[in-house]
Amino acid sequence: MKILGLSFGTRNGNNDTMCRVALEEAQKLGAEIEFIHVFDWDIKYCSGCVACSRGLVMGKGMICSQKDDYAALFDKMAEADGVLVVDPIYESGGSGLFHVVCDRMGPGHDLGMLFMADAKLKEQGKEGLDPKYLRKKAISFVGIGGSDWACRVETDHAMLAMSPSWTVIDNDWFSWSKDVIMQDDKIERMKQIARNLVEAAKDVDNAKWQGKEGACPHCQGNNFYIFPGTTHCVCELCGLEGTLEVVNGAFKFKFDPADEHKAHDTISGKKLHGDDIFRNEGRLMNLNKDPEFKARKMHYTAVCAPTPSPSK
Ligand SMILES: Cc1cc2nc3c(=O)[nH]c(=O)nc-3n(C[C@H](O)[C@H](O)[C@H](O)COP(=O)(O)O)c2cc1C
């Protein structure tokens, strides 16, 4: 049983240290461990070319136009039974590098798309995707902050698990943690997170959320977008729509149970989203031949040219 720790902090800084605290605990429990300091790896931005989703839909398998270490990083995650992400809190949310990894996970590693691609490859008489890409996985997140600005970090982090539909076991963050190596309560919590992840990774089919109950009963999310001037809101994590109501002194998110199949982390929700996208892409397919479209493109392109980078 293998636990992979990913740290997005500076070399041997607080994030690396807390990741190693957890990995040491996991090793004591018999897990094989591996640690990646993500800044050491060559991870480029998502270029937005959508070759990944196109490749999956057309039965070409998993492809990406960026030539870097992301595919190897994803393989490392896919081969581990449990993944622990430790990430510095930047601007109250996940770090920039974490967001890049999240974008790269994006549509090209969406479990619904992967299942579709697997079927398509087999339909063509080819070998399907490696089963390691389709299996369940336990993942936990920890954000480390130098102050107490952190209110978006939980949702940012859990977003990485949305695309591959991995099971989130813990999702925590520590504020005022520049000296976290000296804070025994946080070190103990980190060890508990490791123990929970190891247990979950042993029996991932039955693994469950171990953190505090969140306001959203579907995904445990605590961040909501409120449509201005209404009581209507959407859970920023799973995308279900409903209202926030006070139940036993705490906000609880209420949605119509008939809508739960639309949640973004379910295969049914992914299929709905995929179908919507295909319909829309179909509508756009011939737009490049449309004279009005070509005229508008030409008009706005001529308005101004982009300033070149001073360094490239
Ligand atoms: C660009 C930047 C933004 C930051 N924003 C926040 C923040 O919003 N909230 C917070 O608690 N700490 C913030 N910090 C502090 C970092 O979380 C802290 O430096 C980091 O956890 C240290 O990790 P390391 O020792 O592993 O590099 C910020 C730091 C940087 C560099």
Side-chain angles (χ1 to χ4, degrees):
M1 199 265 300
K2 185 166 179 182
I3 300 291
L4 172 70
L6 304 180
S7 165
F8 290 77
T10 54
R11 183 175 309 284
N12 298 329
N14 291 310
N15 288 265
D16 280 16
T17 301
M18 288 303 257
C19 196
R20 287 173 169 135
V21 165
L23 290 176
E24 182 185 52
E25 187 70 6
Q27 195 173 39
K28 277 187 198 156
L29 295 170
E32 184 192 333
I33 57 167
E34 183 165 1
F35 172 68
I36 294 179
H37 180 249
V38 185
F39 266 109
D40 290 345
W41 288 46
D42 177 23
I43 307 290
K44 295 193 166 72
Y45 291 109
C46 167
S47 70
C49 71
V50 297
C52 56
S53 32
R54 230 177 256 152
L56 291 176
V57 172
M58 290 162 72
K60 289 187 182 164
M62 293 166 80
I63 50 176
C64 180
S65 60
Q66 294 286 39
K67 300 298 164 236
D68 62 0
D69 293 334
Y70 184 79
L73 183 68
F74 183 67
D75 271 359
K76 287 282 184 195
M77 291 193 255
E79 283 155 16
D81 302 286
V83 177
L84 172 68
V85 171
V86 187
D87 180 41
I89 302 172
Y90 288 173
E91 275 57 72
S92 306
S95 70
L97 182 58
F98 173 83
H99 282 287
V100 171
V101 169
C102 228
D103 288 349
R104 295 292 297 278
M105 184 70 92
H109 302 82
D110 175 285
L111 189 63
M113 298 281 279
L114 294 181
F115 274 124
M116 202 198 300
D118 186 58
K120 192 106 197 165
L121 286 164
K122 288 174 180 161
E123 250 171 56
Q124 298 169 355
K126 296 183 196 156
E127 217 178 298
L129 291 179
D130 188 322
K132 72 182 175 190
Y133 298 130
L134 304 172
R135 71 186 181 117
K136 286 194 169 194
K137 188 168 312 295
I139 186 163
S140 291
F141 300 95
V142 176
I144 310 273
S147 73
D148 58 356
W149 287 14
C151 61
R152 285 192 347 268
V153 74
E154 194 181 88
T155 300
D156 279 2
H157 282 167
M159 218 33 118
L160 185 72
M162 274 278 140
S163 178
S165 283
W166 292 341
T167 306
V168 180
I169 308 303
D170 279 292
N171 189 354
D172 217 336
W173 79 85
F174 302 141
S175 292
W176 302 115
S177 289
K178 288 267 171 135
D179 59 347
V180 72
I181 200 167
M182 303 303 291
Q183 299 186 35
D184 290 340
D185 54 335
K186 290 175 184 163
I187 288 182
E188 184 42 47
R189 174 70 186 129
M190 201 72 220
K191 290 181 183 172
Q192 185 59 51
I193 288 170
R195 292 193 284 271
N196 292 346
L197 185 61
V198 167
E199 276 311 303
K202 280 185 198 160
D203 180 16
V204 78
D205 286 329
N206 295 306
K208 283 195 182 67
W209 169 249
Q210 296 295 319
K212 286 189 201 127
E213 194 181 322
C216 175
H218 177 80
C219 70
Q220 311 301 332
N222 286 305
N223 291 58
F224 298 86
Y225 175 77
I226 296 166
F227 292 95
T230 74
T231 56
H232 191 64
C233 60
V234 50
C235 172
E236 288 184 2
L237 192 50
C238 69
L240 287 173
E241 295 190 25
T243 50
L244 283 167
E245 292 168 21
V246 177
V247 180
N248 298 329
F251 277 124
K252 204 76 204 161
F253 180 55
K254 289 273 175 77
F255 56 81
D256 182 347
D259 283 345
E260 196 163 5
H261 70 288
K262 297 179 188 169
H264 296 177
D265 58 338
T266 61
I267 292 291
S268 49
K270 288 174 185 299
K271 171 142 185 7
L272 279 175
H273 186 55
D275 290 348
D276 285 348
I277 288 176
F278 291 137
R279 249 192 314 279
N280 199 46
E281 291 295 322
R283 186 179 67 79
L284 300 174
M285 212 138 76
N286 290 321
L287 210 54
N288 276 324
K289 295 181 199 143
D290 181 286
E292 178 61 20
F293 175 82
K294 284 202 279 194
R296 288 187 190 200
K297 256 266 153 77
M298 217 147 65
H299 171 85
Y300 291 115
T301 307
V303 171
C304 49
T307 306
S309 155
S311 60
K312 273 191 206 163

